[in-house]
Amino acid sequence: MMRFNLGLSGGQVTPGQAKRAFTIILIVTLLNNLFFAEPSSQCAQTLSQGYGQCSALSLILYILSTLWTIYIFFLIIMTRMFIRRRYRIKTECCGELEDCALTVCCTCCTISQMARHTADYKKECGSFCTNTGLPHDSPSLV
């Protein structure tokens, strides 16, 4: 998302807004994984086995965690659609439904494919702790 200045809704925004969006997504994801994961997974297990009840807090955390996961899928789908439109990449069979299906069925593969389409890793090495995952002196894609 940072490589294309995409915001919280998946649309193009200013670089400052894209950085804020990334920061918000990172913080909420970390909070979700650190604090919501255990109570929500216990609640999910209790509900799936069909017995017992979750505490109100566990149920709320379970719902919030599920909604956050759906939102992350939405962002990945929107980013993939943006990349396909930008580089005029055609779908194989199903249009935007293909983006949805691939994201849900194999999220890691979808993210890897987007990374390969948006940077030439033979020329530029990936880099941690940068805004785009590429070295600071890499040419801008936007």
Side-chain angles (χ1 to χ4, degrees), residues 2-21:
M2 289 286 296
R3 291 183 188 177
F4 292 107
N5 294 325
L6 300 180
L8 292 172
S9 66
Q12 256 189 322
V13 295
T14 65
Q17 291 171 323
K19 188 172 186 170
R20 267 179 274 163

Side-chain angles (χ1 to χ4, degrees), residues 106-127:
C106 192
T107 308
C108 296
C109 297
T110 301
I111 293 171
S112 296
Q113 184 184 43
M114 289 189 298
R116 282 194 320 271
H117 278 289
T118 59
D120 184 358
Y121 288 102
K122 292 179 183 173
K123 292 181 183 176
E124 303 287 341
C125 293
S127 180

Side-chain angles (χ1 to χ4, degrees), residues 5-128:
N5 294 325
L6 300 180
L8 292 172
S9 66
Q12 256 189 322
V13 295
T14 65
Q17 291 171 323
K19 188 172 186 170
R20 267 179 274 163
F22 175 77
T23 303
I24 290 168
I25 291 167
L26 180 64
I27 289 170
V28 173
T29 300
L30 288 173
L31 289 173
N32 183 41
N33 290 337
L34 290 174
F35 299 112
F36 295 3
E38 184 62 29
S40 66
S41 67
Q42 288 175 353
C43 185
Q45 185 176 12
T46 300
L47 293 174
S48 69
Q49 293 173 351
Y51 65 87
Q53 293 182 350
C54 297
S55 69
L57 178 62
S58 292
L59 184 59
I60 290 169
L61 293 178
Y62 174 66
I63 292 169
L64 289 174
S65 184
T66 302
L67 290 173
W68 184 252
T69 301
I70 292 168
Y71 174 70
I72 293 297
F73 279 138
F74 166 77
L75 284 180
I76 295 169
I77 291 165
M78 294 301 291
T79 304
R80 182 179 163 86
M81 288 169 46
F82 179 85
I83 291 169
R84 273 194 318 94
R85 280 190 219 113
R86 172 106 190 212
Y87 293 108
R88 295 182 180 102
I89 300 170
K90 296 183 191 232
T91 59
E92 294 294 320
C93 65
C94 308
E96 269 98 31
L97 186 59
E98 184 176 316
D99 295 327
C100 297
L102 291 172
T103 298
V104 172
C105 292
C106 192
T107 308
C108 296
C109 297
T110 301
I111 293 171
S112 296
Q113 184 184 43
M114 289 189 298
R116 282 194 320 271
H117 278 289
T118 59
D120 184 358
Y121 288 102
K122 292 179 183 173
K123 292 181 183 176
E124 303 287 341
C125 293
S127 180
F128 288 108

